[in-house]
């Protein structure tokens, strides 16, 4: 079965993302004003609203792509919810996403995010730990006080379960990093990606559907749509970070290779029974960073061992399954068309 | 008005604490089994259940004093709730407490807790950040799925608000540390202590009362009981860390002084208009750690500037107000007597 768009969407996918950002951005900011005043400062710095000394920044840049809020608002509309009904859920998802970024940047030691220094790099680990904690609980608060038809108990249950999957994915990632390049099986890397990327995208859709008053089967279908979309999205990301155009991805090609990350195409190639895979395993087992020439060789070996083809195939499979589950939710036609367009945009970036 | 015990309590306060630990401990452990399996490992290490390699430790030691669970179970009984009704709320409070300890130990760089190495010192910052996150969300989950008569929406609202106060207190603490010894006013230090200690003890009591089906005025009274008790408890702690017997407190006398902490008696003395206070401010303004002789001088100056007397007086005032609010809640006599005994134990340790 091939699930095709319902109708020509009223807005194209980029417009859907921009509109989601325009609706969710101010609502996120309003939610943050409910935090006690001191912790608001590092939180606002993370969002790029103000400077170290509290100066309001005139142009807010680097707010992220609003993928998750767009999914939430789309899922809400898909079950017939009003535009305003999904906003609280979209805000909650965006807050959780940002909380996890704050903690993730500490964990990975990342120095920049969205073109700005990360919060821990600028204000220290304590501020970033606590700002993340504050955003996690603000998300719970926003969701728990959402208006009907949202079933807030069901919403909090979806959120807490998804965040536990997200945490498990992040923790698994730290364990796999520790084990060295060849230690992780493809299955483990897939489970990690499902937690790190899939769980919150699934929650974004499920919470949108709950906010719109969707019944249990529609919520379950939309949740699965988000999970498959998350899996496909992660595969695209992994493919781009090896073979993408650095001008378009904004990060150097091969950075995953240089760091010997166990991204999905690499894990698939490492697990293959093939001379290229054997050579790849030997390369990954050597200590120290890979030289530029070794990175090029690695990329070729991943391709020869079938990692690239596998990842593309898996990406298509998850995209197809996502669209099937979207159809299964019997979405309102306009919203269904927009979610389909969004799914296509997120999964067919140049790879 | 002096609030006196209602009757002779059936159990003395130490027995109340031991019973709370006996009831809550296994329930906390049961709750942790609901976490995904990998993150359970660092969480269990934090609780002292198993070793780095996963070996079950035969004797679980250093589980904490169970002050907060005892308050929750006591508040539940005080409004006529059954013994089992308060357990989920007690578990939620204990989980939040432990999550905040995990993050606090990272923030403060503390190497030991309850006689064991802290989790971040043993397993690294990433494991401790994520284990704390997992416990925070487990607390929300446990509370959100508590059985009637608990009003779970009200419970989640109390929990999220209290955790925000707790985070604000912890963040304020890091800011005051950064400002140097003389920068913080007594008012700021009081607000910080109310957040760091008072918020969760207030939540423990409010959640117990909600779990027992208490009406809004009783919940509010018991919440205030917990807040005042927390304030008194913190004052005792601060007094003991300057003048306590190291054999009984388990930490070296003067450690707050050596680190130039802004504990409550010290903040009160620093703000006094008095020659001793002036000398104290000069001492606190010097860089570098205080020698043992300087610590003794500092302790004398804090006393001369009135910091010790002020703290004792404030402790008595908060204890009195706590007991008045307990009376205001019209507690069941047996539970009221036990909560009174608990309040006395926590606020009249030797100082």
């Amino acid at each position: 079965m091939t699930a095709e768009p319902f109708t020509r969407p009223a807005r194209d996918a980029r417009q859907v993302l921009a509109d989601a950002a325009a609706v969710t951005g101010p609502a996120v900011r309003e939610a943050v004003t409910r935090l006690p005043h001191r912790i608001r400062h590092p939180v606002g710095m993370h969002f790029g609203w103000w400077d170290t000394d509290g100066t309001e920044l005139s142009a807010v840049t680097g707010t992220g792509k609003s993928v998750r809020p767009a999914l939430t608002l789309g899922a809400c509309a898909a079950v017939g919810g009003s535009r305003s009904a999904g906003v609280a859920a979209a805000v909650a998802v965006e807050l959780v996403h940002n909380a996890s970024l704050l903690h993730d940047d500490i964990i990975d030691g990342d120095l920049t995010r969205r073109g700005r220094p990360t919060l821990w790099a600028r204000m220290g680990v304590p501020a970033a730990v606590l700002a993340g904690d504050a955003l996690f609980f603000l998300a719970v608060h926003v969701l728990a006080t959402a208006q009907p038809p949202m079933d807030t108990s069901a919403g909090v249950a979806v959120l807490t379960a998804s965040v536990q999957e997200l945490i498990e994915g992040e923790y698994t990632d730290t364990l796999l990093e520790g084990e060295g390049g060849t230690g992780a099986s493809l299955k483990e890397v897939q489970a990690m990606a499902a937690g790190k990327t899939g769980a919150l995208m699934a929650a974004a859709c499920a919470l949108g559907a709950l906010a719109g008053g969707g019944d249990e089967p529609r919520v379950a279908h939309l949740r699965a749509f988000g999970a498959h979309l998350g899996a496909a999205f992660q595969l695209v990301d992994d493919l781009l970070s090896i073979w993408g155009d650095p001008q378009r991805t904004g990060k150097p090609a091969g950075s995953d290779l240089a760091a010997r990350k166990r991204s999905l195409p690499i894990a698939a190639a490492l697990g293959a029974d093939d001379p290229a895979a054997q050579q790849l395993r030997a390369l990954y087992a050597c200590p120290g960073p890979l030289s530029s020439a070794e990175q090029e060789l690695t990329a070729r070996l991943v391709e020869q061992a079938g990692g690239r083809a596998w990842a593309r195939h898996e990406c298509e499979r998850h995209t197809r399954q996502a669209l099937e589950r979207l159809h299964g939710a019997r979405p309102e036609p306009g919203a269904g068309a927009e979610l389909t367009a969004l799914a296509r945009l997120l999964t067919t970036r140049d790879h």
Side-chain angles (χ1 to χ4, degrees), chain A residues 129-311:
Chain A
V129 167
L130 294 171
D133 291 347
L135 288 185
F136 273 136
F137 275 89
L138 187 59
V140 174
H141 168 76
V142 166
L143 203 60
T145 56
Q147 298 301 307
M150 173 66 128
D151 173 348
T152 56
S153 295
V156 170
V158 166
L159 188 78
T160 55
S162 312
V163 173
Q164 296 295 7
E165 287 176 55
L166 174 65
I167 293 166
E168 180 79 349
E170 284 167 358
Y171 185 59
T172 305
D173 198 13
T174 68
L175 294 178
L176 299 185
E177 293 275 335
E179 282 171 15
T182 54
S185 72
L186 177 58
K187 208 176 140 190
E188 284 175 309
V189 178
Q190 284 178 301
M192 175 191 85
K196 282 192 75 169
T197 313
L200 201 53
M201 286 177 72
C205 295
L207 291 174
L210 279 170
D215 60 14
E216 200 277 329
R218 290 178 108 180
V219 172
H221 276 299
L222 283 161
R223 185 177 192 155
F225 162 70
H228 283 295
L229 186 58
F233 182 71
Q234 186 59 54
L235 285 154
V236 173
D237 233 41
D238 286 356
L239 285 164
L240 287 175
S241 74
I242 303 176
W243 293 285
D245 176 358
Q247 296 261 297
R248 297 179 63 174
T249 62
K251 56 181 179 179
S255 58
D256 279 8
L257 298 174
R260 285 195 179 74
K261 280 209 177 168
R262 275 144 305 283
S263 75
L264 290 156
I266 297 169
L270 283 167
D273 183 17
D274 172 284
Q278 208 161 1
Q279 213 182 327
L280 184 66
R281 284 192 288 272
L283 250 175
Y284 251 56
C286 295
L290 294 177
S291 70
S292 170
E294 284 171 326
Q295 285 174 36
E296 278 177 39
L297 172 61
T298 307
R300 270 203 309 281
L301 292 172
V302 172
E303 184 151 13
Q304 282 168 27
R308 188 177 196 178
W310 173 86

Side-chain angles (χ1 to χ4, degrees), chain A residues 77-158:
Chain A
V79 299
S82 71
R83 188 147 178 76
S84 63
V87 175
V91 168
V93 170
E94 195 64 355
L95 292 171
V96 162
H97 177 54
N98 279 279
S100 93
L101 294 179
L102 279 163
H103 286 183
D104 238 21
D105 287 338
I106 297 170
I107 289 167
D108 297 338
D110 284 336
L111 296 170
T112 58
R113 154 97 47 204
R114 299 171 181 163
R116 293 189 297 272
T118 51
L119 189 65
W120 78 265
R122 214 159 161 196
M123 301 278 283
V125 167
V129 167
L130 294 171
D133 291 347
L135 288 185
F136 273 136
F137 275 89
L138 187 59
V140 174
H141 168 76
V142 166
L143 203 60
T145 56
Q147 298 301 307
M150 173 66 128
D151 173 348
T152 56
S153 295
V156 170
V158 166

